[in-house]
Structures are given as structure tokens and as C-alpha cells.
Amino acid sequence: MSTNNTTQKAVVDTAFLQQLHLQSTNAGVSTGQNSIFNTTTATISSYSPVDGRLIGKVSIATPQDYETVVATAQEAFGVWRMLPAPKRGEIVRQYGNKLREYKDALGRLVSYEMGKSLQEGWGEVQEMIDICDFAVGLSRQLYGLTMHSERPLHRMYEQWHPLGIVGIISAFNFPVAVWSWNAAIAWVCGNVCVWKPSEKAPLSGIACQNIFAEVLKENNLPEGISCLVVGDAKVGEMMTKDERIPLVSATGSTRMGKAVGATVAARMGRTLLELGGNNAIIITDTADLKLVIIGTTFGAVGTCGQRCTSTRRLIIHDSVYDKVKEGLVKAYQQLQIGNPLDPSNHVGPLIDADAVKMYQDAIDKAIAAGGRMVVEGGVLSGTGYESGCYVKPCIIEVDEQYDIVRHETFAPILYLLRYSDLSEAIYLQNAVPQGLSSAIMTTNMRDMERFLSHEGSDCGIANVNIGTSGAEIGGAFGGEKETGGGRESGSDSWKAYMRRQTNTINYSTNLPLAQGIQFDLQ
């Protein structure tokens, strides 16, 4: 593991802010046609974890602002839902093309504001492009079913209708991609969206809003089809309590998700929750160790361990334990830690000082419980690390009973555990409250099938010979248990954004009742 100080820059070239209509000034950020910044209101300051510099300030939405946004969205819904779904898909297609134009600039903003590597920043924008492509095809495939009626000369079928306003609360670690998973699908389904981006990465959200505003303006469509409200938890509370928002999709911690779920359920609304993960890879005695090292290392250190699908636990068969540990130590020695805008660096910073403290606390708890350090952690300091958010990815040998192993720490900490029998490994894999992503590395078909069977992984995602991180948009994304149970992105997850209606049509001259009930009148 090395620190790449030589490529650090004292000042990051922020030309991408101008490309995204985000003009950096001493006062804050002017967001062009959306006019979100207002110096007379309270603001959120966006500091880059890359160099600790203030990127800009964004005004916090007031209750009056929020009411204006929701009213604007309601009015836009009346227009948007009347467009045929393929026409809505055409608008999403145009947005995907705009994202292709802005991919470099938006990817750099994501990297600078959030701290993930530039490759991952570009990858996140590519994920947005991919979901737009998926949604375009979906706009012609919002299928219902036709059923045979038990009554003569009757026809039964089902159809799907838009819900109205979809509220989206996103997290800092994927400041734009997860929003797009929800928004692109919701749009082609006929909904409009109100988005609360993470207060830790608001400028990335504003940039996406600016780009989509270009598409709406070019097509003479109301701006309320996509709305954005910046703020803290109070803004999120307004959304979860608002009966005008039938569906709230929230991504974040399990603690946050429980609060959102309870509040929305109290008004009989719907939620789509994507919450914490505590993901494990099982390494069997027949595993291809080359795949193990690559998949585990990226899964554990990608986004500096701040993915909900990050690999937290490695459950290794006794017979290959020492080889895997040795391979990981060598891999970690090759990691370059530094400015994520430098493509040669693998690992950027954690998001802020609070994340650094959680990282340090988790290491302390693991060691206090008896954990054995394999790769030393620690906070980096000195030239290029002035933000105080750069840490060293670490590896700790633990036993299953350590309480810290059951908790998700959003940081690059990897725990190693031993097993001797696959049933034991599956037990260890499932013995945590979370249930998002999981994987097994094996060349044994029987072990693979056991892991994927009903006695195997209890997670929403179960992979074979790839890591826990890096999901494609074609599959439904989500998990079980404290992960929330929601599904976003691909497959048939579009159904969460619509309401189902069953229709029966009688084209006879009689009125027979179901189940043969007789109800005759003279």
C-alpha cells in the first residue's frame, strides 16, 4: 500500500463546474436557470473530501419552497401522465444522450464532491446512461395480463397506472446513479419526481437537474416533471409525511430507513427502501485465487469502502486461508491512495470527519475484542491529505462472535473469518441483520448450487465467482432483512412505481354473477 503524494495537486482544476452550469463564486453557487441559490436563506456548504476546499453553498429549501415544488410537480403530473409511454421514453432517451455529452464533467464532479475514484465517477454516470437506455425499452413493455373469465362473454385483464409524485431520497455514496435508477423508471411509468439529494453531495444533484432541465426546455415540457429540494433531515421528513407523495424511495442507513418506513406507513403510503449491507464472500477450497484477490480487493476498497455492496467479510476455507491472506496482503501493498481525480490512484478519501471517526472506532472495537491486524489501518496526513479524510484500507482477522462484525461500517475495513464446512460458511454469511449482497468463489458446481438454493444465501443478491460489488442495471437491485426489502433498477422493479388495476368487461346482454350467485329481480 502506498500513498501517491507526487500526483496530488494543491488546487483541483474545477472547469467541470462551469460545464455543468455550476459557477463557483465566493458567495456560493449559482445554478443557472434553476435559481436554487439564494443568499438570504440558510445554506448547506459542500466541501470536497479530496482537498477540504469549499466547492460551493446551496440554499436549504424552506417549507414554503417545498410547497411550491410539490404544487409544481402536481401540475406537471397532469401533463406528463397524458403522454403515451413511448413518448415519455423518448424524453428519457434524450436525457441519456445529454449525459453522454456531460459524462466527463459530471463524473469529475461526482469524484470531487464525493471522493470516489475518477474511474468510479465516470462509471456512475455510465450507470445513469445505462438505466436511461433500459427505461426507453421499458416504455414499450409496461405489460399487463389477460385472464379468462368464468362468466360467458366477459373479458378480464389488468393494467398499470402511474402513482403521481415519486419522492426520492438519495445517499452520498452514489449521489447521482441511484437517483437515476428511480427517476428514469418512474418517468416512463408516467410519474413525476421530487428528489432530495444527500446534503453531503448537493451539487451533483443540482448538476443532474440542470441537465434534465435542458431536455424539458427543448421539448416544451413543464419543469415540474423533475424537481429537486436541497436540505437536511427536515426536508426528508416533509416528504415522508406528505400524503401527496404516494411513494417514497429512500436509500441510506437502516436507522434512517426504519424512520422513513414507519412515517410513510402511518399514512398508508408506499416505500421502497435500500438500506445497509454487511456483505460477505465465501472462499471455498476449490476457488480460483486470482479471481478471489481481484474481486475481494475491489469489493473492499472501491469507493473507499463506502458502497452498500462493499465487501465487509471474507469467509475462507481452512485449506486456503493462508494463501488468500498472503495474496490480499500483496494486493493491498499495491494500492495507491490519493487524489481520486488522478486515474492512477485506486483509493480516495472517506466522505468527511465523521466517517473517519467511525472507521477508527470500528478498528478499535475489533482489536479490543481480540482481532488480529493483518494489514494496518490509520489516518493519513501530510501533503495531499490536508482534508483529513484519507485512510488506509485495513484487514483484520476476527472470530464470528465479535459484535463489531455484525455491524456495517462505511469504511475500507475487511474482516477475515475461517470455516471448515460449507454449511458453517453459509451460516456465518447469513448470521448478520443485513441481507443485501453476497458471493461465493468456487469451481465446485455442488457448492455453487447449495449457495444459490433456498438453504443458501439469504441476500437479495447472490453471485458466483464475482465479488459483492458492481451490480448491473438489468437485474433488480435490493436486499432482505434490515436492508429493507425494496427493489430498484432492472427486471420488473417498475411495478413498484405503478398501481395495478384489474378490469372486467361484460359484452353480453345478461349480468351473470361470479361464483354462480343468483340474484334475480322481478
Side-chain angles (χ1 to χ4, degrees), residues 103-182:
K103 179 178 177 179
D104 179 69
L106 184 56
R108 289 178 184 277
L109 174 59
V110 168
S111 180
Y112 187 51
E113 188 175 34
M114 184 268 149
K116 64 176 57 178
S117 73
L118 184 55
Q119 286 290 333
E120 292 180 87
W122 285 330
E124 185 164 349
V125 181
Q126 184 60 50
E127 199 164 359
M128 299 176 73
I129 294 167
D130 292 345
I131 197 63
C132 285
D133 289 349
F134 180 91
V136 173
L138 178 64
S139 68
R140 294 180 182 270
Q141 301 178 79
L142 301 174
Y143 299 134
L145 298 174
T146 299
M147 292 77 74
H148 289 279
S149 173
E150 67 183 62
R151 290 166 285 186
L153 304 180
H154 281 58
R155 181 166 67 91
M156 293 180 64
Y157 70 98
E158 68 177 23
Q159 59 180 328
W160 297 82
H161 297 293
L163 293 171
I165 300 174
V166 172
I168 303 170
I169 300 173
S170 61
F172 75 87
N173 60 329
F174 280 85
V176 297
V178 175
W179 164 74
S180 70
W181 290 359
N182 286 272

Side-chain angles (χ1 to χ4, degrees), residues 275-430:
L275 311 175
N278 191 351
N279 317 294
I281 303 176
I282 296 173
I283 313 299
T284 72
D285 56 338
T286 66
D288 183 331
L289 297 190
K290 178 183 176 182
L291 299 184
V292 168
I293 301 305
I294 296 174
T296 299
T297 303
F298 175 75
V301 309
T303 321
C304 202
Q306 295 171 112
R307 293 185 175 211
C308 52
T309 54
S310 290
T311 305
R312 312 287 179 200
R313 300 172 294 141
L314 207 59
I315 304 169
I316 312 167
H317 192 274
D318 284 327
S319 65
V320 294
Y321 185 91
D322 290 336
K323 287 184 179 179
V324 171
K325 183 168 71 170
E326 179 183 348
L328 287 172
V329 170
K330 290 181 179 178
Y332 272 52
Q333 289 172 344
Q334 299 173 50
L335 293 175
Q336 300 284 343
I337 306 170
N339 184 341
L341 290 169
D342 180 347
S344 67
N345 287 327
H346 302 101
V347 183
L350 290 172
I351 186 64
D352 56 22
D354 289 340
V356 173
K357 185 178 185 305
M358 285 190 291
Y359 160 85
Q360 293 175 306
D361 288 346
I363 293 175
D364 291 343
K365 289 178 181 177
I367 298 303
R372 301 162 296 281
M373 192 69 76
V374 176
V375 175
E376 292 285 341
V379 181
L380 296 170
S381 61
T383 303
Y385 305 112
E386 291 85 355
S387 70
C389 296
Y390 290 88
V391 302
K392 293 187 288 186
C394 70
I395 301 176
I396 307 174
E397 292 180 297
V398 297
D399 295 328
E400 82 171 272
Q401 69 267 25
Y402 295 177
D403 183 65
I404 188 63
V405 180
R406 290 175 50 81
H407 297 278
E408 177 189 42
T409 302
F410 239 44
I413 302 173
L414 178 65
Y415 301 116
L416 304 187
L417 299 97
R418 290 177 177 267
Y419 82 93
S420 56
D421 178 78
L422 185 59
S423 295
E424 177 190 4
I426 292 173
Y427 167 78
L428 291 174
Q429 143 74 42
N430 294 340

Side-chain angles (χ1 to χ4, degrees), residues 222-235:
E223 62 181 3
I225 293 168
S226 179
C227 297
L228 180 143
V229 284
V230 176
D232 53 18
K234 293 181 180 178
V235 173

